[in-house]
Amino acid sequence: MQCYECAKETEEFLVWERINGPWWAKFFGPASKPFCREHLIQRFRECFVSHGGQKAVIIHPNLEEKHGNYQYVYTPVADLRMFARRDPVAQQVLERTEGWLAAIHGPCVKCSFKGEVAYFDRSQVQWKEVKGFLGRKFDYPVVHEVTAAPDILCRKCAFEHIEKSLRSTETGFEDGVICPSPDHEGIYTTIEV
């Protein structure tokens, strides 16, 4: 693939629109485009910062410590509710996420602009390998075990933390970076795919 902006060879892409259908459908078609790392981060920043108004929980991507095929995923609360109906761990993630979203009020602790993000840095979240599809182990942040309180940040300050992590890895985002939903509150996590 070539970067949509500069035609540099890349295998990374940005997904900015949710598509109904199978989970893999969002990676094909008009809702995603390939970008080199620099343009991927630039476009993701624009998307991330411009979606003000909707609160979000941000788990630090933690790519500084990861080497593999990871994706930075935005999961709306409505999707968490659907998963929580059949999975007790998803129920715990939903409860924590809703509590963190409710805690977002007041100014950003860094710049005093309006706080819209409950941010957890990598020291506040543990990662574990869990059994997944066909017995393969997958690496996930253990969100349902987080006991720390988040920092309340504006989107711009939160992105400064995210950007450092996105730039730290050389392995890339072959499975995409997903823009937040402009209409739904949710949570960002990095997952191994």
Side-chain angles (χ1 to χ4, degrees):
M1 293 186 294
Q2 293 183 324
C3 175
Y4 187 74
E5 294 284 328
C6 68
K8 182 179 178 181
E9 285 296 315
T10 186
E11 294 194 22
E12 302 176 347
F13 60 93
L14 181 66
V15 179
W16 65 88
E17 180 181 319
R18 290 172 49 89
I19 294 177
N20 293 329
W23 67 269
W24 48 265
K26 62 185 160 194
F27 304 113
F28 303 100
S32 67
K33 288 193 173 130
F35 290 103
C36 66
R37 177 71 55 89
E38 191 59 40
H39 287 119
L40 175 81
I41 291 172
Q42 180 183 351
R43 295 290 175 239
F44 182 50
R45 179 187 303 113
E46 291 168 4
C47 169
F48 184 89
V49 173
S50 71
H51 282 99
Q54 293 296 337
K55 296 176 183 177
V57 176
I58 309 295
I59 306 295
H60 184 76
N62 201 28
L63 296 172
E64 299 88 340
E65 300 175 3
K66 305 299 173 189
H67 305 286
N69 202 13
Y70 287 88
Q71 178 182 66
Y72 202 38
V73 178
Y74 185 78
T75 307
V77 171
D79 289 359
L80 288 176
R81 286 188 184 116
M82 180 182 65
F83 299 136
R85 283 186 240 152
R86 58 183 184 262
D87 182 357
V89 172
Q91 178 63 38
Q92 292 173 11
V93 171
L94 171 64
E95 290 168 3
R96 281 196 166 56
T97 300
E98 288 177 329
W100 296 326
L101 289 168
I104 299 172
H105 53 80
C108 172
V109 297
K110 295 206 177 262
C111 73
S112 299
F113 280 107
K114 181 181 177 186
E116 294 182 319
V117 169
Y119 177 80
F120 290 93
D121 71 28
R122 67 184 185 180
S123 68
Q124 295 173 299
V125 180
Q126 298 297 314
W127 288 70
K128 289 184 184 174
E129 285 190 349
V130 296
K131 192 174 180 180
F133 183 66
L134 296 176
R136 181 175 182 260
K137 291 196 173 191
F138 291 91
D139 191 30
Y140 290 97
V142 189
V143 176
H144 65 284
E145 294 180 6
V146 173
T147 57
D151 287 332
I152 305 304
L153 301 175
C154 69
R155 287 184 174 272
K156 185 177 178 195
C157 289
F159 192 84
E160 288 175 9
H161 293 290
I162 294 168
E163 182 175 8
K164 291 174 189 174
S165 188
L166 296 179
R167 290 187 184 279
S168 70
T169 184
E170 294 182 20
T171 56
F173 308 99
E174 290 87 357
D175 285 299
V177 175
I178 300 175
C179 285
S181 169
D183 304 318
H184 304 283
E185 294 180 341
I187 182 171
Y188 257 110
T189 55
T190 304
I191 60 170
E192 182 181 22
V193 290

